[in-house]
Amino acid sequence: MVMQQSTSSTSVRKAPVRRHDKGRAMQEAAMLAPAVVLLTLFLILPFLLSFWTAMTNQPLVPRPTPVRFVWFNNFIRIFQDDLFWTALWNVSRFTFWIIPAQCGLAFATALLLHQKLPFRNLLRGMFFLPAITSMVVVCVIWGTLFQYPTGPFNQILGFLSGGAIQPIDWLGDPQWAMFSLVLLSAWQAYGFQMIVYLAGLQGIPDELYDAAKIDGANAFRRFWHVTMPGLRPTHVFVLVITTIQAFKLYTQVAILTQGGPKSSTETVVHYMVRAGFEEQKMGYASAVSVILFVIVLVIALIQRQLLRRFDV
């Protein structure tokens, strides 16, 4: 009799727990549903459509002849095209340069603007302004600054060096063209990373800095042992986002260099757009987009694993 009462009371205690778990699971599913729908509509479904198109000879303009499957021929042709490898090398070089330049500038600016400066909010708005300016407008302005041989940059270099430095063909010389795009891109986009770093700095509790001061830590030790560990997730986010943006390099190339001189600024996205819209080979262009997606995904995963391993 006692055992029956005990069993009965146990089932009474478990029933509300199961109902609570079920209700919580439904709440979590409802909260995840919008994200799953958006990811499906704007990421998974477009990727599947691109992969399907990449397996065909789909043209940009419909033709009388039916579209047929060519299976992996587009991928094979891409890997046999020297211009694709040149574009991949160029965008890798651009990414290698832009990450320290853009992220370092954003981090330094965020540390400065996190201090109690007069007109701090105004300064934050001024530094963020290039990030919300149209890239087309930025390219037109910087194209004037880069002008050869009488542009403002060459005038300043000539004045500072007393005429010792000859005018540089910033966009027409293969040795300088990619470097010029890095300068332009780092200046235009670093405001976004700066805002992310500012948000990360504001999320570090002041009590940690107070405790470090009580322990006698100087400014460098507080920065190294409090600020840097507190920004660990921010570093990961900024690095991944900057890498993805770098591999999407297109507007600057299309407006200023068109992939030249001598293909020194050709990028994968510019190569893909030319194949799709100038050569009207949508199947081929879709294959390039699939390859680019896989490359960026692999790099992002490797970065994430390395940062976790080195405890950054």
Side-chain angles (χ1 to χ4, degrees), residues 164-183:
I165 300 179
Q166 296 299 315
I168 298 173
D169 192 357
W170 297 95
L171 300 174
D173 188 336
Q175 294 183 347
W176 287 97
M178 183 58 78
F179 176 74
S180 304
L181 295 184
V182 171
L183 281 181

Side-chain angles (χ1 to χ4, degrees), residues 59-302:
L60 177 64
V61 180
R63 297 173 181 171
T65 56
V67 176
R68 60 184 177 83
F69 273 97
V70 295
W71 302 107
F72 292 96
N73 286 351
N74 285 328
F75 294 96
I76 295 173
R77 288 172 54 201
I78 290 171
F79 291 131
Q80 292 175 342
D81 189 350
D82 292 337
L83 185 58
F84 169 76
W85 291 109
T86 301
L88 186 59
W89 164 250
N90 287 336
V91 79
S92 302
R93 195 159 47 108
F94 175 83
T95 305
F96 182 77
W97 288 349
I98 197 70
I99 286 178
Q102 191 167 308
C103 297
L105 185 61
F107 188 39
T109 309
L111 288 175
L112 176 64
L113 297 182
H114 187 59
Q115 308 302 317
K116 295 179 180 178
L117 301 174
F119 308 107
R120 183 171 63 174
N121 291 332
L122 178 62
L123 291 173
R124 288 178 178 177
M126 290 175 59
F127 281 101
F128 183 66
L129 190 60
I132 58 174
T133 304
S134 169
M135 180 58 83
V136 176
V137 176
V138 172
C139 289
V140 172
I141 296 173
W142 278 70
T144 305
L145 299 176
F146 284 135
Q147 194 173 11
Y148 176 80
T150 58
F153 283 165
N154 283 323
Q155 294 288 342
I156 293 173
L157 286 177
F159 174 77
L160 294 178
S161 65
I165 300 179
Q166 296 299 315
I168 298 173
D169 192 357
W170 297 95
L171 300 174
D173 188 336
Q175 294 183 347
W176 287 97
M178 183 58 78
F179 176 74
S180 304
L181 295 184
V182 171
L183 281 181
L184 183 156
S185 305
W187 177 83
Q188 191 273 339
Y190 84 97
F192 174 75
Q193 283 88 342
M194 179 195 73
I195 292 297
V196 175
Y197 272 123
L198 278 173
L201 288 170
Q202 292 172 357
I204 301 175
D206 292 335
E207 290 78 6
L208 295 178
Y209 290 103
D210 295 336
K213 287 181 181 177
I214 293 173
D215 291 340
N218 56 24
F220 176 77
R221 286 186 176 275
R222 292 197 298 273
F223 168 78
W224 190 252
H225 294 290
V226 178
T227 303
M228 291 300 285
L231 290 177
R232 188 177 303 155
T234 309
H235 287 311
V236 176
F237 177 77
V238 168
L239 184 59
V240 173
I241 289 296
T242 306
T243 304
I244 294 173
Q245 290 179 341
F247 270 86
K248 289 164 56 181
L249 177 64
Y250 171 72
T251 307
Q252 302 92 309
V253 175
I255 294 176
L256 294 176
T257 64
Q258 292 81 45
K262 298 180 180 177
S263 302
S264 61
T265 59
E266 183 68 87
T267 63
V268 177
V269 176
H270 189 256
Y271 174 83
M272 176 184 67
V273 172
R274 286 207 306 179
F277 292 96
E278 294 182 12
E279 303 174 13
Q280 302 191 9
K281 298 183 294 187
M282 292 304 294
Y284 190 84
S286 298
V288 178
S289 70
V290 171
I291 294 172
L292 180 62
F293 176 83
V294 173
I295 291 174
V296 173
L297 179 64
V298 170
I299 292 176
L301 293 175
I302 291 174

